[in-house]
Amino acid sequence: MRFLWPDLLWSLLLVPLLIAVYIAVLRRRKKAVLRYSSMLLVRDALGPAQRLRRHIPPLLFLLAMMSALFAAARPSATVVLPAEYLTLVLAMDVSRSMQASDVEPTRMFAAQGAAKQFIDELPSSVRLGIVSFAGTAAVVQTPTESRPDMIAAIERFQLQRGTATGSGLILALAMLFPQDGIDLESEVFRSSSRYGSRALPPAGAKPAAPAQNRAPVMPASYTGGAIILLSDGRRTTGPDPLDAAKMAAERGVRVYTVGFGTNQGAMIGDEGWSFYARLDEPTLKAVAQMTGGEYFQASSAADLRKIYEGLNLKFSMEKRETEISALFAALAALLTVLAAGLSVVWFRRQ
């Protein structure tokens, strides 16, 4: 627990003062009472329970004062609360390496099945957008709450050549922040220029000017959405995923990365060509670390389903720092009412 206004904790020094005042009042009353010939008669009439009971309402009132002083200092704590995520974007690799059979029956078939189960278990308040990426990235489904539309989008995946991981991440960001003017073609051209490529900009591409200026925020501070990035191979084209991760971090967006496939990799061959598909775990881990997300490695359909189940739980409930002044204020009010009620019932005092 920490306090937003810690200086007000000095007011707790009033507590010993209140105790001293209470003791002084008790002593003054003792001097003012009628002197009986034998105090034993009074003690026998009251009994130990009666003598103790008269101190309970003042004690409750003292605790109420302490709770109110704590509330004034505005305490905050890390508590588990319903997550505030409203929009998730699933960016999935659909490069030809996803036809590898090291995950039965194929990586793509297993990934589609796990994604459908993930959709079925999503909290009802969450909207999901879907992006696919291979040699470039494309929007498969704009953010929606319709589960049938999400499932249909997953089933429309088509395998293509290339792996533009950075493009998939940038397009997912553009989906979360449509007002920022993030343009994928411009980012691709800017990336090729940065690394010395002489390629001309795509036809109709916008000038490689920065997107709408946005003041950077703390990483992982955005609560309106998150990105889940699934890839089974290394980037072969498009912007650097770490540059895209920097864009996400500056907007406070968490990126949860999933490396899908076996650690041994797989040989892919089709129509006279072949290549060896291997995970790029260092890059996926770096993307997650830069953005405050997490990296997961799934070498089977069961692993992927378990990861998605964990993410569903994370998007339903999350730990975050929250001001809890209201709880202390409510406790102070409850104790005050209880102290007053006992005083009236036991001693007929108001």
Side-chain angles (χ1 to χ4, degrees), residues 107-313:
R107 293 180 180 179
M108 175 56 71
F109 189 87
Q112 286 176 309
K116 291 176 184 178
Q117 181 176 339
F118 170 69
I119 289 171
D120 288 338
E121 297 175 0
L122 272 177
S124 59
S125 61
V126 172
R127 299 190 309 155
L128 181 70
I130 302 174
V131 169
S132 65
F133 63 90
T136 185
V139 174
V140 183
Q141 177 61 58
T142 56
T144 179
E145 296 178 359
S146 171
R147 301 299 187 261
D149 289 349
M150 299 176 194
I151 298 295
I154 294 292
E155 293 175 345
R156 289 198 298 268
F157 284 159
Q158 296 291 329
L159 298 180
Q160 303 170 35
R161 294 186 179 182
T163 305
T165 312
S167 295
L169 185 50
I170 290 173
L171 194 58
L173 276 175
M175 187 177 289
L176 284 178
F177 299 95
Q179 73 280 3
D180 279 14
I182 300 174
D183 182 72
L184 178 58
E185 291 184 343
S186 296
E187 295 295 336
V188 171
F189 178 56
R190 186 182 301 114
S191 175
S192 63
S193 300
R194 182 183 301 123
Y195 295 105
S197 173
R198 297 183 179 181
L200 295 175
K206 300 177 182 178
Q212 178 178 323
N213 292 331
R214 169 183 283 271
V217 300
M218 290 292 294
S221 61
Y222 180 65
T223 59
I227 296 172
I228 304 170
L229 178 71
L230 183 146
S231 179
D232 75 330
R234 299 177 183 271
R235 162 223 178 202
T236 61
T237 186
D240 190 329
L242 297 183
D243 291 338
K246 182 179 178 182
M247 294 173 61
E250 290 175 347
R251 290 165 171 79
V253 177
R254 291 182 175 92
V255 180
Y256 298 89
T257 57
V258 180
F260 189 46
T262 59
N263 292 325
Q264 296 77 19
M267 181 65 70
I268 311 297
D270 188 22
E271 299 177 357
W273 54 267
S274 63
F275 66 93
Y276 195 74
R278 187 185 296 275
L279 278 175
D280 186 7
E281 285 195 307
T283 298
L284 294 175
K285 288 179 179 178
V287 169
Q289 183 177 6
M290 287 176 62
T291 61
E294 293 181 59
Y295 168 74
F296 306 93
Q297 200 276 326
S299 56
S300 67
D303 288 344
L304 188 56
R305 285 194 296 271
K306 189 175 298 183
I307 290 169
Y308 278 150
E309 288 174 4
L311 287 173
N312 257 322
L313 181 61

